[in-house]
Amino acid sequence: MLRQWLKYLLIFSLSINLGGVATFLYSQFQKEQLSIPNQEAPHPALKELVTHLNLDPEQREMFQKIFSAHRQNMQVWHQEMTLKRQELLALLKDGSATWPDFQATLNELRDIQAKREEASLGFFLHLRHHLQPEQQVMCDNFMECRLLKGQGEKGEWCRAKGIQRPRGRGRWRAPAAPTQAPSEHGEAQQ
């Protein structure tokens, strides 16, 4: 009888351990899958725009064509910006670099950023050209939300549609204010 219980306990213990190992391996596999970016998938904001526009099949096909060309252009601009930032870093590490050297590289970086902005605007103008008038209004509203970060005249429209203002990369944000009222003891001390 004792032997059977030990056998059951051993099987139970092994199954728990195997389940834990399987869960760990699965979570590691999921992390690897999430870290590989899909280069052909549109940015979440563009997915949101396409969802709001309710494109017909012909418009979707047109969107895919201009989006793939836009994506390739943006990758080129991104690579050039990365190279210029690496040059800035090399100048920073080089102790003999002068301020005019920094300014020249910064001006080149600024020019690349301006070209990138022009390419983005050209993409949206091309997209807007192929839309119906009511879709154009919706596209304009969406762009206002994105460009003015939901603070323009259409701020209420943005919030009603659930369009979040864009978040910057690496930007520090202050922690949220506490939602609880201060305790009576804390108020008495102040």
Side-chain angles (χ1 to χ4, degrees):
M1 182 78 168
L2 182 61
R3 238 181 204 184
Q4 282 184 332
W5 281 105
L6 287 175
K7 199 184 300 183
Y8 292 137
L9 184 61
L10 180 63
I11 291 171
F12 180 72
S13 173
L14 284 174
S15 63
I16 287 178
N17 289 332
L18 285 175
V21 168
T23 303
F24 174 75
L25 291 175
Y26 178 76
S27 67
Q28 293 301 316
F29 177 74
Q30 288 295 97
K31 286 179 186 175
E32 288 176 17
Q33 291 292 340
L34 292 175
S35 67
I36 300 171
N38 183 357
Q39 294 297 325
E40 293 302 315
H43 188 274
L46 284 178
K47 284 183 181 180
E48 198 173 330
L49 174 62
V50 170
T51 302
H52 287 298
L53 291 178
N54 295 324
L55 299 175
D56 61 30
E58 184 179 304
Q59 288 175 322
R60 279 190 187 277
E61 185 177 321
M62 177 274 315
F63 173 78
Q64 288 297 329
K65 283 181 187 176
I66 64 173
F67 175 72
S68 63
H70 173 67
R71 173 65 65 130
Q72 289 172 355
N73 289 339
M74 295 310 272
Q75 287 176 344
V76 169
W77 296 123
H78 180 72
Q79 289 171 352
E80 287 187 24
M81 287 175 58
T82 301
L83 289 174
K84 287 299 167 192
R85 288 181 177 142
Q86 288 173 346
E87 286 180 30
L88 271 176
L89 183 61
L91 286 174
L92 186 66
K93 288 181 179 180
D94 182 24
S96 63
T98 62
W99 181 243
D101 296 334
F102 283 106
Q103 285 180 318
T105 307
L106 284 171
N107 287 336
E108 291 172 5
L109 183 60
R110 188 178 308 120
D111 291 341
I112 294 170
Q113 288 174 331
K115 290 176 185 176
R116 189 174 178 196
E117 287 294 321
E118 288 174 13
S120 288
L121 183 60
F123 166 73
F124 280 104
L125 288 174
H126 193 154
L127 173 66
R128 191 178 183 282
H129 177 72
H130 294 285
L131 298 176
Q132 302 296 325
E134 63 276 358
Q135 290 174 321
Q136 287 179 352
V137 169
M138 193 172 285
C139 184
D140 294 345
N141 289 340
F142 184 86
M143 288 308 296
E144 184 174 340
C145 294
R146 300 300 297 171
L147 293 174
L148 300 178
K149 300 182 180 179
Q151 303 301 317
E153 293 177 13
K154 303 286 190 260
E156 292 300 319
W157 183 88
C158 300
R159 286 186 282 284
K161 293 289 185 183
I163 299 171
Q164 300 287 323
R165 55 183 240 187
R167 305 242 189 257
R169 286 189 235 161
R171 199 177 299 164
W172 181 84
R173 287 183 185 77
T179 56
Q180 298 177 353
S183 65
E184 292 177 20
H185 181 68
E187 290 174 353
Q189 289 179 347
Q190 294 176 355

